Amino acid sequence: MSLEGKSRWRRLSKAVGVRNQKGESLLETIKAALLGEYSVGQWMIVFYLYSFAGWCWEVSLCLVKERRFVNRGFLTGPILPIYGFGALSILLVCVPIQENALLVALAGTAVASAVELVTGWVMEALFHVRYWDYSHQPLNLNGYICALSAATWAVFSAIIVCVVHPLMRPFVQKLPPQMALIAACVLTAFAVVDTVFAVRKALDLRRLLESMERYARELESLHGGLDRISDRVSGMIREFAARVDERQEELTASLQRITDARDRVRTMMDERRMTMAEGAKERLANFERILAAAASYLPDSETLREEIASARRHYDEQTELLRDERVRRLRRAEKVLRSNPTAASRRHVRELELLRGHRQQSPDKDQQGSDKA
């Protein structure tokens, strides 16, 4: 680094007060240091270069782990902005101390991990999904960062500051500032459009997960209502059996069928061999058969039949609402999951699991394409 460059970065590193000795504000000091290194357009080009390098890194990892190409990231284009912001933050903090590799690694780890932590928290707050999840890694902080990711940032910091940046600087500085600014604006325009569509996809995934959660609550309520109807029917049959001796065997068999049908469906749902929707459909069909057989001796069979019909109508309405929501949002939501195979959600754990199961049942769709911010 030239003496002039070191002087500029020294000014930045000493700017710890609101104003320095020359009366410049901290913002003015940072601005002077940054623009002394590159122009605004050149810094933007550097940002996109590191964003593209981060995308290449993530895609390479997926190629090694999954043996297939996955267009990693929140965006559709070949950039991962979190790597661009992380690299710029590392350069801002670490270039003044680049002579000390250990300090570079420590400072770079701290600032890049902070960027990753804040980005992960904001994205989960907005979209209810973690686009990367370190919950299963040791020494993680709420799944946003972990010891392994911090160690990776430490290595990246040393490489960026001590190797890549000194090699890149002469080439970037040769770019005419106006040309660099025009190119950066064009890239930014594409990135903004890409971000708009990516946010739309992420919101589609969030709304689909929310609709699935509402549907699950409705099904829970429906199963509770069916349990109450089951208890009433069982009670009616027992009362009738206490008065009629000659049909004891038939009535006992009816009671057993009611109990067995409920227990079988509940067991299959608990073991995930049957969804709640399939269980509700099965139980409604069972009740219709039982009421048809017991209509001759149940005193309120018509009332029960109306309750079952009302429950079926409610089930059909809720199922149709979810089907409409899936038709509108499923394709874009699946693209998000394809591009972020490690995505997780604390709010919609079961729903995300069901959505992934739906994708695995549609292998043809997985061939069509493959989105971390």
Side-chain angles (χ1 to χ4, degrees):
M1 191 176 187
S2 66
L3 291 176
E4 183 182 358
K6 288 183 178 179
S7 175
R8 281 195 297 267
W9 285 105
R10 196 173 294 115
R11 287 172 60 203
L12 177 60
S13 64
K14 290 181 178 180
V16 293
V18 176
R19 293 185 175 272
N20 63 13
Q21 294 177 347
K22 293 185 178 181
E24 296 173 322
S25 69
L26 177 59
L27 184 60
E28 290 169 342
T29 305
I30 294 174
K31 181 179 177 181
L34 291 175
L35 296 182
E37 184 77 8
Y38 297 136
S39 69
V40 172
Q42 290 168 337
W43 273 115
M44 293 172 72
I45 294 296
V46 169
F47 166 80
Y48 285 114
L49 287 173
Y50 281 114
S51 297
F52 175 69
W55 178 84
C56 293
W57 166 257
E58 291 281 345
V59 167
S60 299
L61 286 180
C62 271
L63 280 172
V64 172
K65 291 180 179 179
E66 301 189 22
R67 306 291 184 184
R68 64 188 179 96
F69 173 80
V70 177
N71 182 23
R72 292 284 287 125
F74 184 71
L75 305 179
T76 302
I79 58 171
L80 286 173
I82 191 170
Y83 282 91
F85 286 118
L88 293 192
S89 301
I90 289 168
L91 289 173
L92 176 64
V93 171
C94 296
V95 168
I97 54 173
Q98 64 180 345
E99 291 84 2
N100 190 321
L102 179 59
L103 280 179
V104 166
L106 293 175
T109 298
V111 68
S113 295
V115 170
E116 190 172 26
L117 175 65
V118 171
T119 304
W121 181 84
V122 169
M123 292 186 71
E124 184 176 17
L126 288 174
F127 306 124
H128 295 183
V129 172
R130 294 180 181 180
Y131 284 82
W132 60 94
D133 185 26
Y134 299 127
S135 297
H136 301 296
Q137 296 287 344
L139 302 175
N140 73 84
L141 180 58
N142 292 333
Y144 301 125
I145 57 176
C146 68
L148 180 59
S149 70
T152 304
W153 280 117
V155 174
F156 282 172
S157 299
I159 293 173
I160 289 170
V161 174
C162 300
V163 180
V164 178
H165 187 65
L167 293 174
M168 184 189 296
R169 184 189 297 112
F171 297 99
V172 175
Q173 289 177 336
K174 286 180 182 178
L175 293 173
Q178 286 187 333
M179 185 180 289
L181 183 59
I182 291 172
C185 288
V186 171
L187 289 172
T188 301
F190 281 110
V192 168
V193 173
D194 197 349
T195 301
V196 170
F197 283 101
V199 168
R200 184 184 178 188
K201 287 189 292 185
L203 289 175
D204 277 332
L205 175 58
R206 168 181 167 168
R207 287 164 185 155
L208 180 56
L209 292 172
E210 288 173 341
S211 67
M212 292 173 70
E213 183 181 29
R214 287 194 299 271
Y215 183 60
R217 287 199 299 266
E218 292 289 345
L219 289 176
E220 284 282 6
S221 176
L222 177 61
H223 279 288
L226 293 178
D227 285 341
R228 289 189 290 274
I229 292 174
S230 176
D231 293 339
R232 285 171 57 195
V233 172
S234 298
M236 290 177 182
I237 293 175
R238 288 193 189 93
E239 288 179 11
F240 184 77
R243 299 194 302 269
V244 181
D245 294 333
E246 63 271 15
R247 302 180 65 180
Q248 287 293 322
E249 186 175 337
E250 176 189 346
L251 297 173
T252 302
S254 296
L255 279 172
Q256 192 61 42
R257 281 199 300 273
I258 293 172
T259 304
D260 289 348
R262 179 181 60 188
D263 293 345
R264 181 175 60 83
V265 170
R266 282 290 186 185
T267 299
M268 292 182 72
M269 289 192 302
D270 291 341
E271 295 175 356
R272 305 292 176 88
R273 291 186 289 127
M274 177 182 285
T275 66
M276 291 180 65
E278 293 168 341
K281 189 175 181 180
E282 176 76 14
R283 294 187 70 186
L284 286 167
N286 287 338
F287 273 122
E288 289 167 351
R289 287 193 296 269
I290 290 168
L291 287 178
S296 61
Y297 56 82
L298 285 181
D300 292 333
S301 61
E302 203 55 44
T303 302
L304 288 170
R305 200 185 303 276
E306 290 175 4
E307 289 184 26
I308 295 297
S310 175
R312 179 172 283 284
R313 284 195 300 272
H314 184 67
Y315 166 80
D316 291 339
E317 288 170 3
Q318 294 299 320
T319 302
E320 188 62 30
L321 285 174
L322 180 62
R323 186 180 294 115
D324 290 345
E325 195 79 7
R326 282 191 171 184
V327 168
R328 290 200 305 271
R329 308 188 189 281
L330 184 59
R331 182 172 297 179
R332 287 191 292 266
E334 283 186 329
K335 288 181 180 179
V336 176
L337 294 179
R338 256 198 307 271
S339 301
N340 299 274
T342 60
S345 176
R346 286 184 291 184
R347 302 189 192 193
H348 310 291
V349 177
R350 184 183 176 90
E351 290 73 27
L352 194 61
E353 181 182 328
L354 289 172
L355 203 53
R356 282 209 170 94
H358 179 276
R359 286 189 59 243
Q360 290 170 0
Q361 292 169 10
S362 308
D364 293 339
K365 293 183 180 180
D366 288 339
Q367 302 295 327
Q368 298 174 359
S370 318
D371 287 60
K372 183 177 170 190

